[in-house]
Amino acid sequence: MDSSSLKGFELGKLVLRSGLLQSSWSKISHIHESPNSNQDSGLGVKFYKEGKSTFVVFGAPPIRRNRYGLTRLSGSEYENNPFHFLCSEKISSFSVHTPSFELFASAFHRNLRELKSKLLELLKLEKPVIITGAALGGSVASLFTLWLLETIDPKLKRPLCITFGSPLTGDASLQQILENSLRNACFLHVAEAAQTQAIQADLFKPFGTFLICFDSECICFEDPEAVLELLVGDTTDGLVDWRDYGEILDRLDQSLMTDSSLMIDDVIDRMEERGIRKKLRFDQLKKLNDMKISLMHIEWYKKMSKMNKIGYYDRYKARVVSSVDIDLEKRKKELNEFWISMVEEVEKKPQSEKSILKKRCLFGGNNYRRMIEPLDIAEYYLDGRKDYRTLGRSRHYVMLEKWFEAENIETVRCKKRDLSDLLTFDSCFWAEVEESLIVTNQLETQVGITSEERAVLTGKLERFEAYVWGMIEKREVSPEIFLEDSSFMKWWTEYKVIKGFNSPPSLFTEFMNTWKYESYGQPQ
């Protein structure tokens, strides 16, 4: 059952009544009380079978308060970072609880690889796997679970990691990586409110779901800020206390979900508000179809503009005031907000999850970029600014273009195809046009320009000519650019004068001077 669909009380009640916490704690206690336990040396791991389920219990020695350090792990350091797969384009590194990581690393090559193989086989047989531990053992169990999750087939049931009174495992970067990841749902941390553990909120941040136990009730929290507010306290002996959660669970069983206090009611309201915001973020892909409808409206605007003998770029640039143009502004704003948010979400995703999301939004994002970025360019130059590609381009356009090009998708543009509805491949084409118009204006209006300055400016225009001709030859530019009143045709008129009639012809100038552009894009 998806915990996001349950209120905190309901989920807490469900977890308690399942008996899962009691079973986990009984096995942790067995290791803790065993005379052969590893609690005074290194990491201990023990298997338990209970019905169809397998419990893996991690036991660890106590840790002193002054050992609460962080170890930074980078995505580029594959050999030293067993969790490199969690890093993303936006978050290239994160930090974890040093004592937990040292224990994990000490057993990494010794026996954790073998343990991982055994659990993967059990999961393939659809056997439930519970990974658990208390105090420092729980933190190591969390790290092991993170490592295990990367190699599990998404079609299989994932393991559940349950910790009791454990130190927080990672920093704000790790929290951000896991916040919108399916991995986050695999962690249930049981903790007593105001438990006496040293929590450095400036260094460590919670992830997963927390079952916070009060005097006679418990509630599940996913809000990291609420968790930090509740897990406060001070230690007197400098040690992370070994709490007897058996007593706490028994107490909760006897008075399950009695009347709640005002404080808890307030926190529930806060959690529900956060849940709504979080759901909106997770529903981005569901909203993709709505965005396609908005894009269809803008395609209709494009066709309507062409019927009036003007390209949609130049119509938008002319600031025509009508109900149609007002609707366009609304839809453009909506599309930009959606895709900026979508790119941010993709960039935060761990590498293994990011590719799935990217592919689902790849073509929609590419069509959006080619349709809407020209309108943003028009606004940019209307404000009197320059150098859009370097100084004005939004990062989300850059990333959408980068992701699409990385797929090496071959688009068929044979001569038999009608290009009348084609969107120009380079969504920055109109920025190049505007920059070239600025140059022609400089050549026409600047007084006392030197021959060297003229040569530099003319060279820019010739490079733009070569850029345009390359797109024409590859059939990557929309026929709309050749409409009589387009900004491109205005540039061509000015460029033709600057070039002069005595200049040697080029393939482009011949194409334009012989009116071949009038048949460009028509099936042949």
Side-chain angles (χ1 to χ4, degrees), residues 9 22 42 50 89 111 129 144 151 183 198 242 249 273 299 307 311 337 354 372 430 500:
F9 275 126
Q22 292 83 344
E50 187 174 288
E89 292 180 17
N111 54 16
V129 172
F144 176 78
T151 49
R183 294 177 174 88
W242 173 266
L249 295 175
E273 290 170 5
E299 286 173 358
M307 288 166 57
E337 288 176 351
K354 181 173 64 180
I372 302 300
W430 290 107

Side-chain angles (χ1 to χ4, degrees), residues 38-221:
N38 287 50
Q39 56 182 313
D40 295 324
S41 55
L43 184 68
V45 184
K46 191 161 184 179
F47 255 66
Y48 291 88
K49 291 280 188 178
E50 187 174 288
K52 294 181 178 180
S53 302
T54 297
F55 288 77
V56 181
V57 183
F58 283 79
I63 176 176
R64 299 201 68 82
R65 184 173 187 170
N66 59 10
R67 289 281 288 134
Y68 271 72
L70 283 169
T71 298
R72 182 178 174 275
L73 301 174
S74 171
S76 60
E77 298 173 359
Y78 278 54
E79 294 183 2
N80 300 322
N81 181 8
F83 309 99
H84 59 83
F85 52 84
L86 289 174
C87 296
S88 63
E89 292 180 17
K90 194 166 185 177
I91 306 174
S92 59
S93 66
F94 58 90
S95 297
V96 295
H97 183 241
T98 295
S100 305
F101 182 71
E102 287 175 349
L103 275 176
F104 175 84
S106 69
F108 183 72
H109 296 290
R110 181 160 40 88
N111 54 16
L112 293 188
R113 289 182 180 275
E114 182 182 351
L115 174 61
K116 182 180 185 179
S117 299
K118 286 182 181 178
L119 295 182
L120 288 174
E121 289 303 316
L122 288 171
L123 291 167
K124 287 177 184 177
L125 296 173
E126 299 185 351
K127 303 288 187 181
V129 172
I130 310 301
I131 301 167
T132 188
L136 185 59
S139 296
V140 180
S142 294
L143 289 177
F144 176 78
T145 304
L146 279 177
W147 181 58
L148 174 66
L149 286 169
E150 173 59 15
T151 49
I152 295 174
D153 188 323
K155 297 177 184 177
L156 297 177
K157 183 177 290 188
R158 294 177 176 83
L160 177 62
C161 178
I162 302 176
T163 71
F164 294 84
S166 297
L168 300 182
T169 308
D171 65 352
S173 294
L174 182 59
Q175 180 196 80
Q176 191 177 357
I177 289 169
L178 297 175
E179 182 181 15
N180 293 335
S181 169
L182 292 174
R183 294 177 174 88
N184 210 37
C186 298
F187 296 88
L188 178 63
H189 307 289
V190 183
E192 188 175 15
Q195 66 180 25
T196 55
Q197 65 161 290
I199 294 178
Q200 294 175 274
D202 57 329
L203 298 179
F204 296 94
K205 303 295 178 183
F207 63 81
T209 299
F210 277 74
L211 182 73
I212 307 296
C213 303
F214 299 91
D215 289 340
S216 59
E217 58 200 2
C218 65
I219 183 172
C220 283
F221 293 89

Side-chain angles (χ1 to χ4, degrees), residues 15-16 18-30 48 50-51 53 55-57 130 132 162 164 246 249 253:
V15 171
L16 276 176
S18 70
L20 191 56
L21 299 184
Q22 292 83 344
S23 293
S24 299
W25 183 255
S26 68
K27 293 161 184 57
I28 292 170
S29 298
H30 182 263
Y48 291 88
E50 187 174 288
S53 302
F55 288 77
V56 181
V57 183
I130 310 301
T132 188
I162 302 176
F164 294 84
L249 295 175
D253 279 342

Side-chain angles (χ1 to χ4, degrees), residues 252-313:
L252 292 172
D253 279 342
Q254 293 170 9
S255 54
L256 186 62
M257 295 303 155
T258 55
D259 292 340
S260 58
S261 67
L262 179 61
M263 180 192 73
I264 298 178
D265 286 337
D266 291 340
V267 175
I268 290 175
D269 291 339
R270 181 172 161 191
M271 283 298 298
E272 287 178 344
E273 290 170 5
R274 179 178 173 83
I276 292 170
R277 294 196 300 271
K278 194 169 185 179
K279 186 176 186 299
L280 288 174
R281 291 201 302 271
F282 273 98
D283 282 350
Q284 292 290 67
L285 285 174
K286 293 180 182 178
K287 290 169 66 178
L288 191 55
N289 285 333
D290 294 336
M291 296 304 104
K292 288 178 181 177
I293 292 171
S294 288
L295 205 59
M296 286 171 60
H297 281 270
I298 296 178
E299 286 173 358
W300 176 82
Y301 174 90
K302 180 176 180 286
K303 290 179 180 178
M304 183 196 68
S305 300
K306 189 176 179 182
M307 288 166 57
N308 293 323
K309 305 298 182 183
I310 185 171
Y312 84 112
Y313 171 81

Side-chain angles (χ1 to χ4, degrees), residues 429-493:
F429 171 80
W430 290 107
E432 301 296 340
V433 172
E434 296 292 349
E435 291 295 325
S436 297
L437 282 168
I438 291 170
V439 173
T440 58
N441 183 60
Q442 287 176 314
L443 286 168
E444 291 171 350
T445 60
Q446 278 190 4
V447 179
I449 188 170
T450 66
S451 57
E452 289 83 3
E453 291 172 333
R454 178 174 290 276
V456 170
L457 293 173
T458 303
K460 289 182 179 180
L461 295 178
E462 289 172 348
R463 286 192 292 274
F464 176 65
E465 175 192 329
Y467 158 79
V468 174
W469 180 242
M471 295 183 73
I472 291 171
E473 281 194 306
K474 290 185 286 186
R475 294 166 66 82
E476 291 182 351
V477 69
S478 169
E480 279 188 13
I481 73 168
F482 300 116
L483 290 171
E484 185 176 354
D485 295 324
S486 78
S487 296
F488 176 77
M489 292 303 286
K490 178 186 177 185
W491 168 82
W492 162 243
T493 302

